[in-house]
Amino acid sequence: LTALIILYFGVRFLKGIDMFSRTYTYYTVYQEIDGLKLSNPVILNGYPVGRVSGIGFRQAKQLEVVVQLEINKEIVVGKNTIALLSSPSLLGDKAIRLSGISEGAPMTEGDTM
């Protein structure tokens, strides 16, 4: 039993899931995600403030891609926030860069950017 618990938490750690921090979940929708993967960072002013925690399709709207983001609860996300796909390194890694985060009323958890 102990080995299974260690294995479970070890796999979650390797996936980049922080089990002890509190995060809020938000969603964003794209036509194309260009290689974005689970656990890619969410960046604000060059600093990682969250991660991509889920990717799925919304078939009712021309196969749009819905991306689930987990953002640290200390970050107040405004309703006018824009989540842009970016390549922060020359290696082709992808990230989501937040822009205009302080504009508009604060979003509630589960809102779509």
Side-chain angles (χ1 to χ4, degrees):
L1 180 64
T2 304
L4 289 175
I5 293 171
I6 291 172
L7 177 66
Y8 173 77
F9 285 111
V11 168
R12 291 182 60 87
F13 175 77
L14 290 175
K15 285 183 176 181
I17 299 171
D18 188 0
M19 294 152 295
F20 302 110
S21 74
R22 305 294 293 167
T23 59
Y24 289 134
T25 301
Y26 301 102
Y27 297 91
T28 185
V29 179
Y30 300 101
Q31 294 296 320
E32 200 173 307
I33 58 172
D34 295 327
L36 186 72
K37 296 180 278 189
L38 293 176
S39 297
N40 281 134
V42 176
I43 299 172
L44 175 64
N45 296 336
Y47 183 76
V49 294
R51 68 178 189 87
V52 174
S53 60
I55 299 174
F57 285 105
R58 183 164 58 177
Q59 293 185 4
K61 299 269 187 170
Q62 301 147 350
L63 289 178
E64 291 177 330
V65 181
V66 178
V67 178
Q68 180 179 345
L69 308 175
E70 287 185 3
I71 298 177
N72 297 342
K73 73 175 186 176
E74 294 85 21
I75 306 299
V76 178
V77 179
K79 291 201 181 273
N80 295 336
T81 300
I82 298 171
L84 303 167
L85 284 173
S86 67
S87 296
S89 72
L90 296 174
L91 299 176
D93 295 337
K94 296 293 180 182
I96 294 181
R97 184 173 48 90
L98 299 179
S99 174
I101 195 163
S102 61
E103 298 176 15
M107 294 177 73
T108 57
E109 185 172 13
D111 281 352
T112 301
M113 294 182 200

